[in-house]
Amino acid sequence: MKTIYLDNNATTKTDEEVLNTMMPYLLDNYGNPSSIYKIGRENKKAIEDSREKVAQILNCEPNEIYFTSGGSESDNTAIRGIAYSYKNKGNHIITSKIEHPAVLETCKQLEKEGFEVTYIGVNKNGIIDLEELEKSIKSTTILITIMFANNEIGTIEPIKEIGEIARKNNIIFHTDAVQAVGSVKIDVRKLNIDSLSLSAHKFYGPKGIGVLYVKRGIQFNKIINGGHQERNKRAGTENVAGIVGLAKAMDLAYRNLEANNEKVKELRNYYVKQIKEKIPYIKINGDMEKRLPGNSNISFRFIEGEGLLLNLDLKGICASSGSACTSGSLNPSHVLLAIGLPHEIAHGSLRISIGKYNTKEEIDYVIENLVEIVGRLREMSPLWEKFIEEENK
Amino acid sequence: MEYSEKVVEHYTNPRNVGKIENASGIGEVGNPVCGDIMKMFIKVENNVIVDVRFKTFGCGAAIATSSISTEMIKEKTIEEALQLKNTDVVNNLGGLPPVKLHCSVLAEEAIHEAIADYYRKEGKLTEEEITRKCNLKKHSCESCGI
C-alpha cells in the first residue's frame, strides 16, 4: 500500500537535493572541524558558509547564529540561558498557553527553580491576547517567549507587535519559530526578535539539527558544557552534514517560498472546503487567514481522534490528532483546550498538514476515506446516536 | 503505541456493533470528557444472553475491548457474564498498552451495568442486591475519577 504522508507539521521528508549536499561530509570530508588538517579545515569552512547563509535569510549577522541539535535544544538554551543570565535583573517570564512542550516544560522547570511565569491566553482562533500580554508585564519581567506559529492549529502570532511591546518595555523577546521557518518570511530585525529557534526537519532538512539565533549583546548562559565549539556557547563536535543540510534546505525553502506556499495552500483550502461540504457537524480549529499554508485542524464531533487515526493508518494515511489517547495523557491537547474547545470536541480533532510533495490525487483519496471512516465511527458512537435522537424529537 | 494483532483486528472489524430495540438491559459507562463512552445492549432469554450489541465513542482500544467482550458474553448465562473480568478481556486481546488498561475496565463495567439494568427491569431484586451482585461502582472512569 502506498504511504500518503500528511503530517508535515510533525516532520518532513528530507529533500534529495539536501541529502546530496550532505553526503560528502559523511563519506569523504568526515574530519573533525576543530582539527588542523585539510578534511577538518574544510569542514570548518562549510560550517561558516552555512552560518552565513542562515544569517542572510533571517537578516542577522553570522555571529548571531548558533547551531544546536534542534528546536527543543534551542528553546531550552534560549529560555534557561537568558533566565539565568538576567536573574539579577528580575525573575519574571511571560509565555503563552499554547506553546510547544519544549517551551512550556522549560518554563515549568524554571518555576521550580524560583522564577515566576505568566501563561497568557489566546482567543478562540488561537491568537495571543496582546492586551493581556501588556498587562502582565512587571518591573521584574526579563523575558517574553511566544511562538511564531502554532504546531497544532497553524495560527501565526502577531510577532511584530509582540516584538514592539518587548522593545518598548526593554524586555528580551524569544520566539519558538520551529513551525514557521520554511513557510513564513522572517526578518529578525524588522520583527524585533531578540532570540529565535528553528529546526531543519520541518522544512525538508535532516532531523537532529537546528539553530538558535541570539541578537548580539544579549547574554545567555550556555547549557551544554564541554569544548569551545560555537564560540564557546554550545559544546560538542559539530554535526557538519546536518549543518550543511540545514542551510541547503533553508535556502531551497526561501528560494521557492511563494510557489511552494501557493501550491500547499491551494491543496489545504481544497481539502477543508471538501470536508466542509461532505461531512456535517465539524469544527475548523484555528484562524483561516493568519495560518501556516499547509496546516488544517478539524474536529469531527461525536468521534474520538485515535480511532480515526488508526483507521486512516489502515489506508496508508499518516496524520495526527489532539486527542488524549494519542498524547499519552488523560487530557486532550492543551492548545485545543486553550482555544476553548470542550474536551469531547478536542478529542475528535484531526490535523492534516500538507507539504510540497503532496498531490491533489492524494487529497482526494484522503477525503474519500475520511467520509467513509467518520461515517462508520459515528454509526458506532453512542454520542452520535443520542444527538440524532434529540435532533429527531 | 503498539497494539496487538488481535486489537487491530477487532478495531478494524468490530463485532456486534449497533443497538437492540427493546433490549432486556442497557449499560452505559464512561464520560465524553475522558474520551470514552461504552454502551452495551443485552437481550436475555431464560437467563441466557442471547444477543449483545455495543456502541462506543473512544480510541482503538475502547472499540476493541467492547467488541471482544460482546463475543465473550454472548450465549452465556447472566452469572457467567458477571464473572467476566477485565483481565480476561486483556488476555483475550493478547494484551493492551498500560495506558489503555482502563478501556478493559470500562468494558467489564458496561456489562455489569447492562445486567443491573436487566435486573431492575425484571423487578425481583432490591437496588442494594443489584449493586452487590453486579459489583456496581460509583465512578465509571477510575483513571480520571469523573
Side-chain angles (χ1 to χ4, degrees):
Chain A
M1 191 172 40
K2 201 181 160 226
T3 296
I4 296 185
Y5 188 75
L6 289 162
D7 206 11
N8 289 279
N9 286 162
T11 191
T12 54
K13 178 181 166 177
T14 308
D15 190 312
E16 244 182 275
E17 213 182 321
V18 171
L19 181 68
N20 291 337
T21 331
M22 293 168 66
M23 288 306 272
Y25 296 93
L26 294 166
L27 295 175
D28 309 317
N29 262 35
Y30 46 80
N32 192 317
S34 301
S35 309
I36 201 152
Y37 39 76
K38 188 164 169 271
I39 61 166
R41 279 194 326 264
E42 279 180 2
N43 279 350
K44 190 91 192 160
K45 183 166 184 317
I47 293 172
E48 294 318 312
D49 288 348
S50 303
R51 197 186 308 281
E52 210 161 293
K53 175 96 303 201
V54 173
Q56 205 183 349
I57 295 171
L58 293 176
N59 191 28
C60 63
E61 297 299 323
N63 62 10
E64 294 173 318
I65 296 293
Y66 303 88
F67 290 109
T68 68
S69 66
S72 292
E73 190 195 319
S74 293
D75 283 332
N76 272 263
T77 305
I79 298 167
R80 288 169 61 195
I82 290 168
Y84 296 152
S85 229
Y86 289 84
K87 65 169 188 253
N88 290 334
K89 201 186 151 206
N91 72 338
H92 183 229
I93 296 166
I94 301 172
T95 188
S96 85
K97 286 182 179 158
I98 61 162
E99 296 298 308
H100 188 274
V103 170
L104 284 180
E105 294 301 318
T106 304
C107 287
K108 279 186 200 157
Q109 177 58 32
L110 286 173
E111 278 183 294
K112 284 184 201 154
E113 295 171 24
F115 286 88
E116 187 195 349
V117 182
T118 303
Y119 301 85
I120 62 167
V122 293
N123 70 12
K124 65 179 183 10
N125 285 351
I127 308 273
I128 297 293
D129 186 337
L130 290 174
E131 227 172 89
E132 194 185 335
L133 171 67
E134 285 210 86
K135 277 187 195 150
S136 40
I137 292 172
K138 305 177 183 194
S139 60
T140 51
T141 308
I142 49 171
L143 175 68
I144 294 173
T145 169
I146 288 176
M147 68 196 332
F148 205 114
N150 184 267
N151 48 309
E152 291 186 37
I153 54 174
T155 306
I156 299 173
E157 299 301 335
I159 292 302
K160 191 163 194 283
E161 289 80 353
I162 298 169
E164 276 163 12
I165 292 170
R167 183 69 38 98
K168 201 172 69 191
N169 292 281
N170 198 24
I171 297 165
I172 298 165
F173 172 38
H174 169 73
T175 185
D176 168 6
V178 167
Q179 210 59 240
V181 172
S183 35
V184 182
K185 182 130 188 41
I186 298 177
D187 180 325
V188 292
R189 295 271 180 270
K190 270 194 193 146
L191 295 173
N192 295 313
I193 296 169
D194 297 317
S195 166
L196 174 147
S197 304
L198 68 90
S199 183
H201 75 95
K202 301 284 187 182
F203 47 88
Y204 314 98
K207 291 168 185 63
I209 185 75
V211 158
L212 171 63
Y213 149 80
V214 180
K215 196 179 168 189
R216 203 169 14 186
I218 289 171
Q219 309 298 316
F220 66 101
N221 284 15
K222 68 170 167 179
I223 302 299
I224 297 183
N225 294 295
H228 292 90
Q229 291 87 353
E230 295 301 287
R231 303 183 303 291
N232 205 18
K233 279 301 192 185
R234 198 273 187 184
T237 299
E238 297 89 337
N239 174 0
V240 185
I243 290 170
V244 170
L246 178 144
K248 181 71 185 173
M250 213 164 151
D251 185 33
L252 286 176
Y254 282 92
R255 209 183 304 160
N256 305 315
L257 190 73
E258 267 111 54
N260 276 347
N261 280 356
E262 207 47 53
K263 183 205 152 183
V264 162
K265 201 170 164 178
E266 200 180 305
L267 284 180
R268 192 268 319 272
N269 290 347
Y270 172 72
Y271 162 77
V272 173
K273 189 166 169 270
Q274 290 289 308
I275 292 297
K276 252 183 178 167
E277 277 171 22
K278 295 190 163 134
I279 306 180
Y281 312 113
I282 61 166
K283 163 131 191 10
I284 294 167
N285 303 317
D287 194 292
M288 277 320 278
E289 297 302 318
K290 294 167 191 149
R291 191 182 195 115
L292 293 173
N295 173 283
S296 74
N297 190 309
I298 300 179
S299 286
F300 297 90
R301 292 179 60 195
F302 318 112
I303 62 174
E304 196 277 336
E306 195 213 63
L308 191 55
L309 290 187
L310 292 168
N311 279 286
L312 286 170
D313 180 43
L314 291 169
K315 301 283 180 187
I317 301 165
C318 312
S320 64
S321 167
S323 86
C325 285
T326 52
S327 72
S329 76
L330 297 169
N331 283 321
S333 138
H334 67 286
V335 177
L336 298 179
L337 295 182
I339 61 170
L341 288 198
H343 279 67
E344 58 267 39
I345 296 181
H347 283 304
S349 74
L350 177 72
R351 181 184 74 178
I352 293 271
S353 46
I354 296 163
K356 68 175 180 179
Y357 297 119
N358 292 121
T359 62
K360 183 167 176 291
E361 287 68 40
E362 288 179 329
I363 304 298
D364 281 328
Y365 176 79
V366 172
I367 293 163
E368 186 190 319
N369 278 290
L370 257 181
V371 170
E372 190 271 321
I373 294 166
V374 170
R376 186 151 43 84
L377 290 176
R378 279 182 176 166
E379 279 309 312
M380 210 187 285
S381 166
L383 291 177
W384 174 249
E385 183 192 329
K386 204 161 139 194
F387 175 77
I388 292 298
E389 275 170 11
E390 274 164 21
E391 286 281 284
N392 291 339
K393 259 181 201 166
Chain B
M1 183 147 8
E2 203 62 54
Y3 281 134
S4 72
E5 254 174 58
K6 197 81 178 275
V7 174
V8 176
E9 207 263 310
H10 270 272
Y11 74 61
T12 314
N13 299 299
R15 331 287 199 263
N16 304 312
V17 175
K19 58 195 258 188
I20 300 174
E21 298 296 339
N22 305 315
S24 315
I26 301 173
E28 186 176 321
V29 295
N31 190 305
V33 175
C34 312
D36 28 36
I37 304 177
M38 277 182 205
K39 197 171 178 181
M40 289 272 180
F41 304 79
I42 54 169
K43 189 163 182 64
V44 181
E45 279 172 13
N46 303 320
N47 202 43
V48 171
I49 298 172
V50 293
D51 198 8
V52 51
R53 303 274 152 171
F54 81 90
K55 287 216 167 185
T56 289
F57 162 81
C59 61
I63 292 167
T65 50
S66 314
S67 167
I68 202 161
S69 52
T70 60
E71 282 191 325
M72 290 168 79
I73 62 165
K74 204 166 176 179
E75 309 292 345
K76 295 282 161 60
T77 64
I78 292 285
E79 289 74 22
E80 285 168 331
L82 282 171
Q83 290 303 309
L84 182 88
K85 293 270 168 299
N86 80 299
T87 44
D88 304 330
V89 175
V90 176
N91 290 339
N92 256 9
L93 280 173
L96 273 181
V99 293
K100 300 290 186 181
L101 287 175
H102 73 277
C103 294
S104 64
V105 177
L106 277 185
E108 180 192 314
E109 288 179 358
I111 291 167
H112 287 206
E113 287 290 344
I115 294 172
D117 185 49
Y118 161 71
Y119 280 140
R120 279 184 206 114
K121 282 178 182 154
E122 217 189 22
K124 288 181 190 163
L125 301 174
T126 64
E127 192 57 35
E128 202 180 319
E129 285 168 320
I130 294 171
T131 306
R132 187 160 28 86
K133 214 166 171 177
C134 298
N135 190 25
L136 299 185
K137 291 189 184 106
K138 215 172 168 190
H139 293 307
S140 297
C141 186
E142 283 183 354
S143 42
C144 48
I146 291 173

